[in-house]
Amino acid sequence: LKRPASPAPSMRQPRPRLRLGCAAAGPVAAAVSVGLGLCGRLLCTSWRGAAQRSGAFVAAQLPAAHWKSLVAGQHRTSRAPSLVAMASGPAVAMEAFAARNFVEKGQKPSGKAFIEFDTVEFAARVNVFYEERLAAGEDPLKPGYAPFCKHLFVPNFVPGLQDTVLLITDANAALLKSEYAARTEKELPVLGRWFPKDAVREHIVEARFLDVILYSREQIIEENKAMGEPDDGVRAPWGIVSVKPQSVDTEIPMEPITMMRNALGVELGGSGVPMVREEYTKSVEFWNKHGRVQ
């Protein structure tokens, strides 16, 4: 018996193509397919639920090696950040409230802006760390002061970024400053105290960890609405609202005045979380002996 002849090339069945799940299939899915070279992993488990909840399309996740090369600067193209965000649906996004602590390109550190690092690259590195810990079977999000608040303790990757907490001693106590201040124009000013960085520079060390403080998307939307801020359309399930350089990978007590501000309510710049006396007492005990450096 003769073996049936192979079909002519024009008659052969096409190879199955990798397909991307998408809430709005068509050009977007095609763009992602081309942009990633069809090399991503589909439907990343850790982000699938968040993407479905927000109505975002579920596409491919860049391999960890590609993420690492991106944030290491090996893919310096204008398309890279948008491809990462579009393809992966990152779990964590940079919020404007935290971005004010980052020094703009070409500027010098001043006021609240003290982190000399690109905000897009910072968020990318945080997402890489988050996904790597999940892949290792660990929940990297540690509980915060409320259900909507989480801490992500990341090894410090910002060169020269110094610890922002200093022990108060007889030698430096006179250097402490105080002022009634608001973090934004819409907040109620409250009394705070701190060490001016220039006055204690020789006594502070480079931070070993970054306490990346996250709020849930629902809480961010609620607070922005209460403060009259427009919806920015970001739907990553977690948003970076603060970054605290420090020497330990555990939570440092929230400052007492911040607890008070939060208890005031969202209309005055707080979060609306009632004060807990026990937590407030722990905070007072710590901050009676330490000062913030800024």
Side-chain angles (χ1 to χ4, degrees):
L1 294 176
K2 292 184 179 181
R3 177 180 298 178
S6 299
S10 60
M11 300 295 291
R12 289 178 181 173
Q13 296 297 319
R15 293 181 180 179
R17 293 185 178 182
L18 185 62
R19 302 187 64 182
L20 303 179
C22 179
V28 173
V32 175
S33 299
V34 173
L36 295 179
L38 301 180
C39 65
R41 294 184 307 232
L42 285 180
L43 307 181
C44 173
T45 303
S46 60
W47 286 335
R48 185 184 304 158
Q52 290 172 341
R53 288 193 299 273
S54 65
F57 67 89
V58 179
Q61 179 199 7
L62 285 174
H66 191 88
W67 269 98
K68 291 177 181 178
S69 62
L70 170 66
V71 299
Q74 297 176 21
H75 294 270
R76 299 273 183 195
T77 69
S78 58
R79 297 177 60 197
S82 59
L83 281 176
V84 171
M86 181 172 65
S88 305
V92 179
M94 177 67 68
E95 299 301 314
F97 191 80
R100 68 197 175 93
N101 294 139
F102 287 75
V103 181
E104 293 186 9
K105 188 176 181 179
Q107 301 296 316
K108 293 183 178 180
S110 63
K112 295 291 185 180
F114 67 97
I115 303 175
E116 298 183 82
F117 207 85
D118 180 73
T119 54
V120 173
E121 187 174 345
F122 187 94
R125 292 204 183 198
V126 168
N127 276 290
V128 168
F129 178 82
Y130 174 79
E131 285 299 317
E132 287 180 342
R133 299 323 305 155
L134 283 181
E138 172 192 336
D139 181 0
L141 301 184
K142 307 306 178 186
Y145 73 101
F148 59 76
C149 177
K150 302 293 182 183
H151 294 264
L152 187 60
F153 297 100
V154 182
N156 181 23
F157 53 79
V158 180
L161 186 59
Q162 296 174 316
D163 195 337
T164 55
V165 177
L166 185 63
L167 181 68
I168 299 173
T169 66
D170 292 339
N172 64 27
L175 300 174
L176 282 166
K177 301 289 185 180
S178 62
E179 180 185 24
Y180 283 93
R183 298 173 299 183
T184 70
E185 294 180 357
K186 297 181 180 181
E187 282 190 349
L188 191 70
V190 296
L191 183 63
R193 70 171 187 174
W194 71 94
F195 284 111
K197 183 179 292 185
D198 290 339
V200 296
R201 190 175 298 277
E202 61 183 31
H203 301 293
I204 51 181
V205 298
E206 187 164 328
R208 295 177 55 212
F209 298 94
L210 303 174
D211 179 5
V212 181
I213 301 176
L214 309 174
Y215 272 18
S216 70
R217 182 57 48 194
E218 292 78 10
Q219 180 68 18
I220 292 171
I221 291 174
E222 179 183 343
E223 292 191 15
N224 285 343
K225 184 178 180 180
M227 298 296 287
E229 299 290 344
D231 186 350
D232 58 11
V234 176
R235 289 298 179 265
W238 297 101
I240 301 173
V241 296
S242 183
V243 178
K244 296 184 177 180
Q246 56 190 50
S247 296
V248 295
D249 61 349
T250 56
E251 180 184 2
I252 290 175
M254 182 185 295
E255 291 165 90
I257 197 62
T258 305
M259 291 185 175
M260 287 188 175
R261 179 195 280 117
N262 282 338
L264 293 175
V266 294
E267 296 81 4
L268 297 175
S271 61
V273 175
M275 192 182 304
V276 177
R277 187 182 186 91
E278 180 181 352
E279 295 300 320
Y280 183 83
T281 301
K282 291 179 181 178
S283 174
V284 169
E285 182 179 353
F286 180 87
W287 289 106
N288 259 338
K289 301 174 183 177
H290 299 82
R292 182 72 66 187
V293 178
Q294 63 184 48

